[in-house]
Amino acid sequence: MNVRYDLRDPKILRWTMDHPGRGTPYSIRELAETVGLTHHALIGHLLTGERQDCDITTAHRIAGAVGVAILVLFAPPASPEQNGSDPDRQNRSAGATPPPT
């Protein structure tokens, strides 16, 4: 299962990067390195809105690095169908009723 957490607001992420619990602000590259990302693009994309989500592990690591609870920055999926594990998700239009099982 590939659970994805949605970033609540890029401005909140930016603020927590500028005012982390550790006291010293994070740059995009520093935060990426701290959370174990091989490249800083994900953090940059979250800040610009180009990406709205990330996997559960990365979401927890980002929140931990800046010193806030996960739910301050990210929202978990409301249902299992919204977490990317549903292969038919992309084939259904928004608001459509799923086929009977």
Side-chain angles (χ1 to χ4, degrees), residues 20-62:
R22 73 179 186 142
T24 305
Y26 280 104
S27 70
I28 292 171
R29 289 177 190 270
E30 289 169 335
L31 182 57
E33 183 178 315
T34 300
V35 301
L37 298 174
T38 57
H39 197 270
H40 65 277
L42 174 64
I43 304 297
H45 292 321
L46 288 170
L47 289 170
T48 63
E50 189 172 331
R51 288 279 305 269
Q52 292 83 35
D53 66 359
C54 63
D55 66 78
I56 185 173
T57 302
T58 303
H60 278 275
R61 288 179 180 170
I62 291 170

Side-chain angles (χ1 to χ4, degrees), residues 79-101:
S79 72
E81 284 189 16
Q82 294 178 342
N83 68 18
S85 64
D86 181 5
D88 295 326
R89 180 179 179 206
Q90 295 176 354
N91 296 330
R92 293 193 297 254
S93 60
T97 304
T101 55

